[in-house]
Amino acid sequence: MRRERIRLSRGQKILLNLALCVFLLTCLWGIAGYPVVTAGMEFRRLERTRLLPPSEIVFTAGGEGDIILNDGARLCYPVRALDGTELYLQGRWFAGTGEDWAVLGLVQGVSYDCFLRWFPLEEEGPSLLTFYSGYGYWKEEGLQEMLPGETHNFFPILLVNVPEETVRAEITVRQGERSVTGPGWNMGNGVWLMTPDNQVLPYQGEEERSYTLRLYRPDGSLLLERNGEYWEG
């Protein structure tokens, strides 16, 4: 029997090539872990891959249109406190809360690595979320118009479910014989960003750490004081 070659038209060849390209790109996308277009979608993907329901997002570092500041070898994203102070965090972070749990996720870092951490919430009062690795800074304005202000470096700690009557917060972190006390910044949504100085006490260390958290009312009286273990792992 005579075999006849199947002849494809030019249009059919184009469609066949496009289908092959889509198939290969899908395979590469799967090998890369199915990355998504926006940071918010990536955060949701991290939740799904860990079999977590969608949380209520209460904190983000950097928006889709924000400029990324390069502080040396670090890519830093801006966050703004309610009083207008602008701080910068290394990496793009999302925090969300559920009924009795919270998550803190890095969706874009220096090496574009991603991870998500799960935390149980305290039964009452604020809960502390620690960053696996973190660096931040904020700049204090100069006393005179033309003079540069001082730069304050810190390792970030996030508080969620902070009482509404809180007007000031501070945290003391202790490791061995060293300790450092850092102020907090009200980010809204019951979230405060705590900023202990990482030059006094480096962020990561082999020794165990503990902390004391203090919240204050508008009249300056102590609203809450809590001691606990500081978990980095």
Side-chain angles (χ1 to χ4, degrees), residues 204-222:
Q204 293 178 321
E206 296 180 356
E207 298 181 56
E208 294 184 356
R209 293 188 176 188
S210 60
Y211 72 88
T212 299
L213 172 67
R214 298 181 181 88
L215 306 180
Y216 297 90
R217 298 184 179 91
D219 61 3
S221 62
L222 185 64

PDB file of all heavy atoms in Angstrom, residues 204-222:
ATOM      1  N   GLN A 204      20.375  36.721  64.711  1.00  0.00           N
ATOM      2  CA  GLN A 204      20.446  35.287  64.936  1.00  0.00           C
ATOM      3  C   GLN A 204      21.597  34.943  65.872  1.00  0.00           C
ATOM      4  O   GLN A 204      22.647  35.553  65.831  1.00  0.00           O
ATOM      5  CB  GLN A 204      20.605  34.545  63.609  1.00  0.00           C
ATOM      6  CG  GLN A 204      19.374  34.653  62.717  1.00  0.00           C
ATOM      7  CD  GLN A 204      19.570  33.963  61.390  1.00  0.00           C
ATOM      8  OE1 GLN A 204      20.640  34.029  60.812  1.00  0.00           O
ATOM      9  NE2 GLN A 204      18.539  33.308  60.897  1.00  0.00           N
ATOM     10  N   GLY A 205      21.368  33.961  66.706  1.00  0.00           N
ATOM     11  CA  GLY A 205      22.402  33.519  67.636  1.00  0.00           C
ATOM     12  C   GLY A 205      22.100  32.122  68.115  1.00  0.00           C
ATOM     13  O   GLY A 205      20.970  31.631  68.021  1.00  0.00           O
ATOM     14  N   GLU A 206      23.125  31.454  68.653  1.00  0.00           N
ATOM     15  CA  GLU A 206      22.960  30.075  69.100  1.00  0.00           C
ATOM     16  C   GLU A 206      22.322  29.999  70.483  1.00  0.00           C
ATOM     17  O   GLU A 206      21.691  29.000  70.823  1.00  0.00           O
ATOM     18  CB  GLU A 206      24.319  29.372  69.109  1.00  0.00           C
ATOM     19  CG  GLU A 206      24.952  29.248  67.715  1.00  0.00           C
ATOM     20  CD  GLU A 206      26.290  28.553  67.764  1.00  0.00           C
ATOM     21  OE1 GLU A 206      26.743  28.245  68.892  1.00  0.00           O
ATOM     22  OE2 GLU A 206      26.879  28.316  66.697  1.00  0.00           O
ATOM     23  N   GLU A 207      22.492  31.030  71.309  1.00  0.00           N
ATOM     24  CA  GLU A 207      21.927  30.991  72.652  1.00  0.00           C
ATOM     25  C   GLU A 207      20.419  31.236  72.607  1.00  0.00           C
ATOM     26  O   GLU A 207      19.901  31.885  71.712  1.00  0.00           O
ATOM     27  CB  GLU A 207      22.589  32.059  73.528  1.00  0.00           C
ATOM     28  CG  GLU A 207      24.084  31.870  73.727  1.00  0.00           C
ATOM     29  CD  GLU A 207      24.657  32.954  74.611  1.00  0.00           C
ATOM     30  OE1 GLU A 207      24.159  33.109  75.745  1.00  0.00           O
ATOM     31  OE2 GLU A 207      25.587  33.649  74.178  1.00  0.00           O
ATOM     32  N   GLU A 208      19.725  30.682  73.611  1.00  0.00           N
ATOM     33  CA  GLU A 208      18.291  30.902  73.710  1.00  0.00           C
ATOM     34  C   GLU A 208      17.995  32.357  74.058  1.00  0.00           C
ATOM     35  O   GLU A 208      18.787  33.031  74.720  1.00  0.00           O
ATOM     36  CB  GLU A 208      17.688  29.980  74.772  1.00  0.00           C
ATOM     37  CG  GLU A 208      17.755  28.504  74.417  1.00  0.00           C
ATOM     38  CD  GLU A 208      17.057  27.651  75.454  1.00  0.00           C
ATOM     39  OE1 GLU A 208      16.602  28.217  76.473  1.00  0.00           O
ATOM     40  OE2 GLU A 208      16.971  26.428  75.256  1.00  0.00           O
ATOM     41  N   ARG A 209      16.832  32.811  73.608  1.00  0.00           N
ATOM     42  CA  ARG A 209      16.439  34.191  73.859  1.00  0.00           C
ATOM     43  C   ARG A 209      15.092  34.224  74.576  1.00  0.00           C
ATOM     44  O   ARG A 209      14.291  33.297  74.473  1.00  0.00           O
ATOM     45  CB  ARG A 209      16.338  34.971  72.557  1.00  0.00           C
ATOM     46  CG  ARG A 209      17.674  35.175  71.866  1.00  0.00           C
ATOM     47  CD  ARG A 209      17.545  36.114  70.687  1.00  0.00           C
ATOM     48  NE  ARG A 209      18.850  36.376  70.080  1.00  0.00           N
ATOM     49  CZ  ARG A 209      19.064  37.282  69.137  1.00  0.00           C
ATOM     50  NH1 ARG A 209      18.068  38.020  68.684  1.00  0.00           N
ATOM     51  NH2 ARG A 209      20.267  37.466  68.651  1.00  0.00           N
ATOM     52  N   SER A 210      14.888  35.304  75.295  1.00  0.00           N
ATOM     53  CA  SER A 210      13.599  35.547  75.930  1.00  0.00           C
ATOM     54  C   SER A 210      13.231  37.007  75.673  1.00  0.00           C
ATOM     55  O   SER A 210      14.053  37.805  75.210  1.00  0.00           O
ATOM     56  CB  SER A 210      13.669  35.266  77.431  1.00  0.00           C
ATOM     57  OG  SER A 210      14.632  36.118  78.044  1.00  0.00           O
ATOM     58  N   TYR A 211      11.975  37.346  75.950  1.00  0.00           N
ATOM     59  CA  TYR A 211      11.538  38.717  75.689  1.00  0.00           C
ATOM     60  C   TYR A 211      10.569  39.174  76.767  1.00  0.00           C
ATOM     61  O   TYR A 211       9.927  38.363  77.464  1.00  0.00           O
ATOM     62  CB  TYR A 211      10.878  38.830  74.318  1.00  0.00           C
ATOM     63  CG  TYR A 211       9.516  38.198  74.230  1.00  0.00           C
ATOM     64  CD1 TYR A 211       8.354  38.919  74.548  1.00  0.00           C
ATOM     65  CD2 TYR A 211       9.358  36.866  73.837  1.00  0.00           C
ATOM     66  CE1 TYR A 211       7.101  38.338  74.477  1.00  0.00           C
ATOM     67  CE2 TYR A 211       8.112  36.283  73.763  1.00  0.00           C
ATOM     68  CZ  TYR A 211       6.982  37.028  74.075  1.00  0.00           C
ATOM     69  OH  TYR A 211       5.744  36.431  74.014  1.00  0.00           O
ATOM     70  N   THR A 212      10.456  40.483  76.897  1.00  0.00           N
ATOM     71  CA  THR A 212       9.431  41.123  77.712  1.00  0.00           C
ATOM     72  C   THR A 212       8.741  42.165  76.848  1.00  0.00           C
ATOM     73  O   THR A 212       9.397  43.056  76.301  1.00  0.00           O
ATOM     74  CB  THR A 212      10.030  41.795  78.963  1.00  0.00           C
ATOM     75  OG1 THR A 212      10.660  40.799  79.779  1.00  0.00           O
ATOM     76  CG2 THR A 212       8.941  42.483  79.772  1.00  0.00           C
ATOM     77  N   LEU A 213       7.443  42.028  76.699  1.00  0.00           N
ATOM     78  CA  LEU A 213       6.641  42.948  75.897  1.00  0.00           C
ATOM     79  C   LEU A 213       5.832  43.843  76.820  1.00  0.00           C
ATOM     80  O   LEU A 213       5.209  43.361  77.774  1.00  0.00           O
ATOM     81  CB  LEU A 213       5.710  42.163  74.977  1.00  0.00           C
ATOM     82  CG  LEU A 213       4.671  42.971  74.192  1.00  0.00           C
ATOM     83  CD1 LEU A 213       5.346  43.867  73.166  1.00  0.00           C
ATOM     84  CD2 LEU A 213       3.663  42.041  73.536  1.00  0.00           C
ATOM     85  N   ARG A 214       5.824  45.148  76.530  1.00  0.00           N
ATOM     86  CA  ARG A 214       5.039  46.109  77.313  1.00  0.00           C
ATOM     87  C   ARG A 214       4.197  46.965  76.371  1.00  0.00           C
ATOM     88  O   ARG A 214       4.718  47.510  75.386  1.00  0.00           O
ATOM     89  CB  ARG A 214       5.940  46.995  78.166  1.00  0.00           C
ATOM     90  CG  ARG A 214       6.769  46.237  79.200  1.00  0.00           C
ATOM     91  CD  ARG A 214       7.621  47.188  80.026  1.00  0.00           C
ATOM     92  NE  ARG A 214       8.438  46.476  81.011  1.00  0.00           N
ATOM     93  CZ  ARG A 214       9.655  46.003  80.757  1.00  0.00           C
ATOM     94  NH1 ARG A 214      10.198  46.183  79.551  1.00  0.00           N
ATOM     95  NH2 ARG A 214      10.326  45.363  81.684  1.00  0.00           N
ATOM     96  N   LEU A 215       2.914  47.096  76.717  1.00  0.00           N
ATOM     97  CA  LEU A 215       1.991  47.964  75.998  1.00  0.00           C
ATOM     98  C   LEU A 215       1.483  49.032  76.952  1.00  0.00           C
ATOM     99  O   LEU A 215       1.242  48.752  78.144  1.00  0.00           O
ATOM    100  CB  LEU A 215       0.809  47.164  75.442  1.00  0.00           C
ATOM    101  CG  LEU A 215       1.119  45.940  74.574  1.00  0.00           C
ATOM    102  CD1 LEU A 215      -0.174  45.284  74.110  1.00  0.00           C
ATOM    103  CD2 LEU A 215       1.998  46.309  73.392  1.00  0.00           C
ATOM    104  N   TYR A 216       1.290  50.255  76.443  1.00  0.00           N
ATOM    105  CA  TYR A 216       0.899  51.387  77.286  1.00  0.00           C
ATOM    106  C   TYR A 216      -0.370  52.052  76.778  1.00  0.00           C
ATOM    107  O   TYR A 216      -0.619  52.116  75.568  1.00  0.00           O
ATOM    108  CB  TYR A 216       2.036  52.412  77.338  1.00  0.00           C
ATOM    109  CG  TYR A 216       3.308  51.886  77.968  1.00  0.00           C
ATOM    110  CD1 TYR A 216       4.282  51.271  77.186  1.00  0.00           C
ATOM    111  CD2 TYR A 216       3.517  51.993  79.336  1.00  0.00           C
ATOM    112  CE1 TYR A 216       5.444  50.790  77.756  1.00  0.00           C
ATOM    113  CE2 TYR A 216       4.677  51.506  79.916  1.00  0.00           C
ATOM    114  CZ  TYR A 216       5.642  50.905  79.128  1.00  0.00           C
ATOM    115  OH  TYR A 216       6.796  50.420  79.691  1.00  0.00           O
ATOM    116  N   ARG A 217      -1.154  52.565  77.722  1.00  0.00           N
ATOM    117  CA  ARG A 217      -2.394  53.297  77.429  1.00  0.00           C
ATOM    118  C   ARG A 217      -2.075  54.754  77.081  1.00  0.00           C
ATOM    119  O   ARG A 217      -0.936  55.219  77.261  1.00  0.00           O
ATOM    120  CB  ARG A 217      -3.332  53.247  78.632  1.00  0.00           C
ATOM    121  CG  ARG A 217      -3.783  51.854  79.035  1.00  0.00           C
ATOM    122  CD  ARG A 217      -4.792  51.959  80.177  1.00  0.00           C
ATOM    123  NE  ARG A 217      -5.274  50.645  80.603  1.00  0.00           N
ATOM    124  CZ  ARG A 217      -4.723  49.923  81.559  1.00  0.00           C
ATOM    125  NH1 ARG A 217      -3.643  50.390  82.204  1.00  0.00           N
ATOM    126  NH2 ARG A 217      -5.226  48.751  81.887  1.00  0.00           N
ATOM    127  N   PRO A 218      -3.092  55.506  76.605  1.00  0.00           N
ATOM    128  CA  PRO A 218      -2.864  56.925  76.290  1.00  0.00           C
ATOM    129  C   PRO A 218      -2.384  57.754  77.481  1.00  0.00           C
ATOM    130  O   PRO A 218      -1.646  58.736  77.306  1.00  0.00           O
ATOM    131  CB  PRO A 218      -4.245  57.399  75.805  1.00  0.00           C
ATOM    132  CG  PRO A 218      -4.892  56.173  75.265  1.00  0.00           C
ATOM    133  CD  PRO A 218      -4.412  55.051  76.144  1.00  0.00           C
ATOM    134  N   ASP A 219      -2.791  57.392  78.705  1.00  0.00           N
ATOM    135  CA  ASP A 219      -2.364  58.165  79.871  1.00  0.00           C
ATOM    136  C   ASP A 219      -0.985  57.750  80.381  1.00  0.00           C
ATOM    137  O   ASP A 219      -0.522  58.245  81.400  1.00  0.00           O
ATOM    138  CB  ASP A 219      -3.396  58.045  81.003  1.00  0.00           C
ATOM    139  CG  ASP A 219      -3.580  56.606  81.492  1.00  0.00           C
ATOM    140  OD1 ASP A 219      -2.858  55.709  80.995  1.00  0.00           O
ATOM    141  OD2 ASP A 219      -4.449  56.379  82.353  1.00  0.00           O
ATOM    142  N   GLY A 220      -0.316  56.826  79.679  1.00  0.00           N
ATOM    143  CA  GLY A 220       1.017  56.390  80.056  1.00  0.00           C
ATOM    144  C   GLY A 220       1.052  55.197  80.982  1.00  0.00           C
ATOM    145  O   GLY A 220       2.136  54.680  81.289  1.00  0.00           O
ATOM    146  N   SER A 221      -0.105  54.747  81.446  1.00  0.00           N
ATOM    147  CA  SER A 221      -0.136  53.595  82.351  1.00  0.00           C
ATOM    148  C   SER A 221       0.091  52.306  81.572  1.00  0.00           C
ATOM    149  O   SER A 221      -0.146  52.222  80.361  1.00  0.00           O
ATOM    150  CB  SER A 221      -1.469  53.538  83.098  1.00  0.00           C
ATOM    151  OG  SER A 221      -2.545  53.378  82.186  1.00  0.00           O
ATOM    152  N   LEU A 222       0.550  51.284  82.278  1.00  0.00           N
ATOM    153  CA  LEU A 222       0.872  50.007  81.661  1.00  0.00           C
ATOM    154  C   LEU A 222      -0.411  49.225  81.383  1.00  0.00           C
ATOM    155  O   LEU A 222      -1.191  48.947  82.285  1.00  0.00           O
ATOM    156  CB  LEU A 222       1.798  49.204  82.576  1.00  0.00           C
ATOM    157  CG  LEU A 222       2.341  47.879  82.027  1.00  0.00           C
ATOM    158  CD1 LEU A 222       3.234  48.116  80.825  1.00  0.00           C
ATOM    159  CD2 LEU A 222       3.110  47.126  83.115  1.00  0.00           C
TER     160      LEU A 222
END
